[in-house]
Amino acid sequence: MKKSSLGGKRPRPNVFDVTPPKCNKSRSVDHEERLQGVLRSKSTPNSGALPNISFKGDLQDELFVWQAKLTDKNYFKITEEVLVELKRQASLNSKWAGVALTLEGLADHMEKDWVMIPSSVFAELIDKYRNN
């Protein structure tokens, strides 16, 4: 199988697995549904296809607009374009921006779900936590 120059866009089959691999859209939908419980947020179906800014972001709650990222590797590259767009979507909704990242390729003893928020938001949350 020829490897595309864009990376692993198609799931690679496991020869020992009898279940067919899920397409990226199915994996993404399952990932966002699972993250609803992890982040205590609601998923936004078809968030990338909707023109209405209040329905942007993969998940939202009363504080955050979350962008969900999923990879079967043990690393993930976050670009400036992703952060700028997420910040714009969050600002238009008067919320904080956050990235929910799942690294399926990490070792079994490692937690697979991670969140990334701006340091200014982290500082504000820590200040509120310590003052209560």
Side-chain angles (χ1 to χ4, degrees):
M1 174 186 256
K2 183 180 174 188
K3 190 171 183 174
S4 75
S5 62
L6 297 175
K9 292 292 183 186
R10 283 182 262 147
R12 282 182 261 145
N14 182 342
V15 294
F16 301 108
D17 192 1
V18 293
T19 58
K22 290 184 173 185
C23 69
N24 285 345
K25 177 68 176 168
S26 298
R27 288 183 72 227
S28 177
V29 168
D30 291 347
H31 180 237
E32 289 172 19
E33 286 178 5
R34 188 180 61 74
L35 283 178
Q36 287 184 88
V38 173
L39 299 173
R40 282 96 172 144
S41 296
K42 299 274 186 193
S43 67
T44 308
N46 296 320
S47 59
L50 298 174
N52 189 341
I53 193 65
S54 64
F55 294 109
K56 292 292 186 177
D58 295 324
L59 298 114
Q60 287 194 33
D61 55 43
E62 61 276 355
L63 297 175
F64 287 94
V65 171
W66 294 100
Q67 186 72 38
K69 298 295 181 187
L70 170 67
T71 182
D72 58 357
K73 298 175 177 57
N74 63 356
Y75 63 91
F76 191 84
K77 182 178 178 180
I78 301 287
T79 63
E80 179 181 8
E81 290 79 20
V82 169
L83 296 176
V84 167
E85 179 60 19
L86 178 58
K87 178 69 173 166
R88 185 184 73 81
Q89 292 172 4
S91 295
L92 290 170
N93 284 290
S94 300
K95 296 180 181 184
W96 289 323
V99 175
L101 176 60
T102 300
L103 300 163
E104 294 175 332
L106 291 176
D108 288 339
H109 70 278
M110 292 286 297
E111 193 169 339
K112 310 287 189 225
D113 293 320
W114 292 80
V115 296
M116 184 173 70
I117 58 175
S119 59
S120 59
V121 173
F122 178 77
E124 189 172 337
L125 291 172
I126 289 296
D127 289 344
K128 286 183 188 252
Y129 175 78
R130 288 184 178 155
N131 290 332
N132 287 334

